[in-house]
Amino acid sequence: MNVSGKIVVVTGGADGIGRALCERFHREGAAKIVVADVNAAGAEAVAQSIEGAAFACDVSREADIRHVVEQTEQNFGPIDLWCGNAGIAVLDARPNDAASAPDEAWARSWAVNVMAHIYAARALVPRMIARGGGYFLNTVSAAGLLSQIGGAVYATTKHAAVGFAENLAITHRHQGIRVSILCPQGVDTAMLRGLPAGPQSLDGVLTPAQVADAATVGLARESFLILPHPQVASYMRNKVENYDRWIGGMAKLQARLQAKTPGV
Ligand SMILES: NC(=O)c1ccc[n+]([C@@H]2O[C@H](COP(=O)([O-])OP(=O)(O)OC[C@H]3O[C@@H](n4cnc5c(N)ncnc54)[C@H](O)[C@@H]3O)[C@@H](O)[C@H]2O)c1
């Protein structure tokens, strides 16, 4: 897909990767970009800078997503590209205990990182099928492919997001629906700055603009898997070639990191 002339919605567009996607798609000539974010003032500021529109939207609430879809289509026309980008990174309560996060952390992460994609598909797929197609670009993470040390909640919900995106792509391909997942490692945003240093930054931290560049190339190719850090492809190959060796390697990395921060 070339976004020139397209109607685009970006969730989590007020900051970070989402804001970079909005800015990049504006430069590419999108007809209208809708910024949907729980941070209403931030969404408004980004929308103003790109002649877009803003909606206050908590993606974990189906009614909010339905509202964005209905209002966007009523005011600007059919949505060509839905960027499900909003996400949250909740770490485990204790990094040496994979089940340590409380139920509330699991429930909130499940709602924002997974259910939001399902709500968007529920609202949009029937409309897209009726008009012959449409595109979902879902920001997931390399953690959804390769797990994340000390981040069982984040990695598990991001794996689920990959699973849903695969099913969306498989089930509706013949109806003209296309899906891409954007899976970076470390990106210099408020989210990453709020986390302790970890393996997500070992291959270098990209700028949000670099991730938006990779997204634009991936969209043009209509690739399902978009990897702004190319190293992730070789880690995935290592994983499928020998799953047990990969688990062993990750366990050693976990132990090394643990040794640096004893007592946690
Ligand atoms: N930064 C990284 O290193 C990194 C790496 C891999 C994947 N990701 C993913 O990229 C996406 C964007 O993250 P970012 O790094 O730009 O984070 P960020 O914190 O800079 O921006 C996230 C945006 O999403 C919004 N948001 C949060 N919860 C929301 C909700 N319930 N409803 C609507 N909007 C909500 C925030 O207000 C904010 O504007 C996330 O899905 C994240 O998991 C980030």
Side-chain angles (χ1 to χ4, degrees):
M1 167 179 276
N2 177 341
V3 297
S4 173
K6 301 294 196 299
I7 306 287
V8 181
V9 176
V10 181
T11 72
D15 205 357
I17 295 168
R19 183 171 65 189
L21 290 174
C22 291
E23 290 165 353
R24 178 64 198 246
F25 295 157
H26 179 57
R27 286 207 303 282
E28 295 285 317
K32 184 59 86 176
I33 299 168
V34 169
V35 188
D37 202 292
V38 75
N39 171 1
E44 192 55 55
V46 173
Q48 274 186 19
S49 73
I50 57 167
E51 298 158 73
F55 286 99
C57 166
D58 178 343
V59 296
S60 70
R61 294 165 49 96
E62 184 163 20
D64 283 15
I65 298 229
R66 227 182 302 119
H67 179 74
V68 172
V69 169
E70 281 162 8
Q71 289 301 309
T72 300
E73 299 217 334
Q74 206 170 301
N75 292 316
F76 309 116
I79 295 167
D80 299 293
L81 171 63
W82 177 275
C83 303
N85 166 81
I88 53 170
V90 179
L91 294 186
D92 302 335
R94 296 182 300 283
N96 60 351
D97 180 350
S100 58
D103 284 2
E104 303 76 57
W106 283 98
R108 183 71 190 148
S109 298
W110 180 257
V112 177
N113 292 347
V114 186
M115 291 311 295
H117 299 303
I118 292 149
Y119 298 148
R122 219 177 251 163
L124 269 169
V125 166
R127 291 168 182 259
M128 287 176 168
I129 290 172
R131 50 189 182 244
Y135 211 120
F136 292 87
L137 169 69
N138 290 344
T139 308
V140 187
S141 170
L145 306 164
L146 297 164
S147 279
Q148 169 135 351
I149 286 164
V153 180
Y154 185 67
T156 303
T157 53
K158 291 293 188 176
H159 273 74
V162 173
F164 180 68
E166 286 178 357
N167 281 276
L168 189 60
I170 292 164
T171 308
H172 299 289
R173 187 176 177 82
H174 71 288
Q175 291 157 319
I177 309 276
R178 294 291 176 268
V179 182
S180 294
I181 53 171
L182 180 58
C183 295
Q185 301 188 86
V187 186
D188 185 18
T189 68
M191 176 184 283
L192 187 71
R193 290 192 288 271
L195 299 177
Q200 67 272 8
S201 303
L202 289 179
D203 290 319
V205 174
L206 298 181
T207 64
Q210 287 174 307
V211 176
D213 288 346
T216 306
V217 172
L219 281 175
R221 292 184 184 146
E222 303 198 350
S223 308
F224 177 76
L225 181 60
I226 303 177
L227 296 176
H229 294 81
Q231 299 90 334
V232 172
S234 64
Y235 301 148
M236 289 176 76
R237 270 194 297 277
N238 291 345
K239 180 175 172 176
V240 293
E241 267 169 29
N242 190 331
Y243 223 132
D244 294 308
R245 188 181 58 199
W246 178 81
I247 294 276
M250 290 292 276
K252 278 188 195 144
L253 184 56
Q254 154 91 16
R256 271 210 307 279
L257 292 172
Q258 198 65 53
K260 283 190 192 161
T261 48
V264 288

